């Protein structure tokens, strides 16, 4: 991008940045899990974008370009942290690939007949709080969480995720299905503990 | 092109590939054709779609005022340190 002067450059940049701030911050928060880290990632990404603005040739691509910078900023910081000798959280590297990818919430909730108050699926969604969902996502091992965020929140293709993370597409796929299975299992446990889902197939109706 | 008839099992197996838009247009059309005709698979697809939308919505969070302020200050710093002619 070329600008007549510094003021018009700044104005152009801030006008495009402003409507993206809540998504940049929200995405960074899902990736890092911590508000302070999320703020650091956003600030660093914005400054990188600002100083590399000359390399953005198509202004229509600003949003995707900025999110790409954000994602890469997070990934390099993540790599740097986990390569520290006393990082202490082994699961950030490779999750133990033991858990199966077979749990589905739908199978727990779905009843072939309608209950008088509606379906269990509706009951589940109505009771599902944003903070429950965030908590369940945050509880996933790093590699799972990052993969599911890149795909479901950011909308990257498996191919793009593979290249961002430097892993094979097959690994993206398997992490994703394990991540989903774990997430759904956690949501199921949460919903039952909160009493949001009464009944369900695991004996709830008979309790 | 006529849609290829898929079994429920095949549809469920590829459901996430479909929701993640990883299928080519023919494969996606095959899934859609099945979903329009099979209540069970449609219900499952709707459930996963709803959950996926809720996950996607967690990617938006109110950026704190201090972050806005920090970014403005950083940009101010840049304006002063270089004349912002990109090259
Ligand atoms: Zn079916």
């Amino acid at each position: 991008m070329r600008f007549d002067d510094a003021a018009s450059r700044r104005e152009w940049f801030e006008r495009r940045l402003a409507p993206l701030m809540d998504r940049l911050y929200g995405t960074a928060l899902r990736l890092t899990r911590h508000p302070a880290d999320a703020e650091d990632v956003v600030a660093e990404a914005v400054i990188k974008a600002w100083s590399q603005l000359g390399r953005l040739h198509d202004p229509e691509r600003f949003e995707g370009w900025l999110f790409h910078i954000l994602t890469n900023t997070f990934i390099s910081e993540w790599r740097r942290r986990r390569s520290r000798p006393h990082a202490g959280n082994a699961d950030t590297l490779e999750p133990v690939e033991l858990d199966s990818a077979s749990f589905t919430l739908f199978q727990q909730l779905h009843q072939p007949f309608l209950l008088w108050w509606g379906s269990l699926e509706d009951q589940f969604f109505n009771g599902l709080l944003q903070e429950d969902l965030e908590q369940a996502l945050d509880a996933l091992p790093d590699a799972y969480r990052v993969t599911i965020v890149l795909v479901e929140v950011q909308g990257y293709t498996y191919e793009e995720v593979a290249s961002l993370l430097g892993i094979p597409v097959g690994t993206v796929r398997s992490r994703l299905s394990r991540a989903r299975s774990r997430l759904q299992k956690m949501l199921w446990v949460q919903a039952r503990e909160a009493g949001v889902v009464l009944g369900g197939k695991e004996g709830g109706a008979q309790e | 092109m006529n849609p290829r008839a898929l079994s429920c099992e095949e549809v469920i197996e590829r459901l996430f590939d479909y929701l993640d838009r990883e299928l080519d247009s023919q494969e996606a059309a095959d899934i859609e054709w099945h979903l329009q005709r099979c209540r069970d698979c449609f219900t499952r697809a709707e459930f996963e779609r709803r959950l996926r939308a809720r996950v996607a919505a967690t990617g938006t969070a109110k950026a704190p005022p201090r972050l806005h302020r920090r970014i403005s200050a950083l940009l101010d710093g840049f304006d002063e340190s270089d004349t912002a002619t990109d090259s």
Side-chain angles (χ1 to χ4, degrees):
Chain A
M1 294 294 299
R2 298 278 159 198
F3 300 92
D4 295 339
D5 52 45
S8 63
R9 185 184 198 257
R10 173 82 178 255
E11 203 253 1
W12 187 94
F13 187 78
E14 290 195 312
R15 189 151 34 88
R16 272 155 192 81
L17 177 64
L20 302 176
M21 280 300 292
D22 292 352
R23 271 181 52 222
L24 288 166
Y25 177 68
T27 302
L29 194 54
R30 294 280 72 74
L31 290 169
T32 62
R33 297 186 296 166
H34 303 292
D37 292 342
E39 289 176 37
D40 288 348
V41 167
V42 174
E44 195 183 330
V46 167
I47 286 312
K48 273 187 203 158
W50 171 250
S51 57
Q52 296 170 10
L53 198 54
R55 293 194 212 159
L56 175 69
H57 300 296
D58 178 2
E60 295 299 310
R61 295 197 56 245
F62 180 76
E63 181 179 328
W65 177 74
L66 181 54
F67 273 90
H68 196 75
I69 293 174
L70 179 90
T71 308
N72 276 318
T73 301
F74 164 75
I75 291 170
S76 41
E77 175 60 19
W78 183 38
R79 288 213 177 102
R80 203 176 60 75
R81 285 195 187 193
R82 71 189 190 184
S83 65
R84 262 186 227 155
H86 301 293
N89 36 351
D91 76 352
T92 57
L93 275 169
E94 284 302 313
V96 188
E97 312 265 335
L98 289 176
D99 45 340
S100 78
S102 59
F103 183 89
T104 81
L105 192 49
F106 180 79
Q107 280 166 5
Q108 303 298 324
L109 294 170
H110 186 61
Q111 312 269 358
F113 51 89
L114 278 181
L115 305 168
W116 65 267
W117 63 83
S119 69
L120 275 180
E121 290 113 283
D122 287 335
Q123 201 181 319
F124 165 76
F125 279 114
N126 293 337
L128 178 62
L129 303 176
Q130 170 106 354
E131 61 203 85
D132 293 338
L133 189 51
E134 290 170 358
Q135 194 185 47
L137 283 165
D138 285 358
L140 290 171
D142 276 2
Y144 289 174
R145 188 186 68 258
V146 169
T147 309
I148 207 168
V149 169
L150 292 177
V151 172
E152 296 201 359
V153 176
Q154 300 195 257
Y156 284 116
T157 65
Y158 299 172
E159 201 70 58
E160 288 167 333
V161 174
S163 113
L164 281 161
L165 297 176
I167 55 176
V169 174
T171 309
V172 173
R173 243 172 222 290
S174 66
R175 280 189 192 174
L176 196 54
S177 65
R178 290 190 169 95
R180 282 172 167 148
S181 170
R182 271 216 195 188
L183 179 70
Q184 296 201 359
K185 198 171 209 163
M186 281 191 278
L187 294 174
W188 169 240
V189 171
Q190 272 179 354
R192 296 210 19 168
E193 281 173 358
V196 165
V197 174
L198 309 166
K201 287 181 182 170
E202 267 178 20
Q206 281 79 42
E207 277 167 21
Chain B
M1 276 184 292
N2 289 321
R4 194 170 77 84
L6 299 173
S7 68
C8 293
E9 231 175 17
E10 288 171 303
V11 169
I12 297 307
E13 213 167 87
R14 292 184 209 173
L15 187 57
F16 282 109
D17 284 351
Y18 167 70
L19 295 174
D20 294 340
R21 296 175 210 277
E22 290 288 325
L23 300 179
D24 65 36
S25 57
Q26 176 66 56
E27 291 170 318
D30 293 344
I31 303 269
E32 273 154 23
W33 196 80
H34 183 101
L35 292 180
Q36 282 158 17
R37 284 158 187 79
C38 174
R39 202 189 128 129
D40 285 352
C41 290
F42 177 80
T43 312
R44 170 73 192 273
E46 279 308 293
F47 179 83
E48 300 299 349
R49 216 195 292 271
R50 271 170 97 179
L51 185 57
R52 206 181 180 292
R54 291 293 302 270
V55 171
T58 66
T60 301
K62 191 99 200 84
R66 73 164 174 266
L67 178 58
H68 286 279
R69 204 173 50 209
R70 177 173 167 192
I71 285 170
S72 291
L74 285 165
L75 294 176
D76 290 344
F78 259 85
D79 279 350
E80 283 160 24
S81 65
D82 69 16
T83 47
T85 48
D86 28 298
S87 58

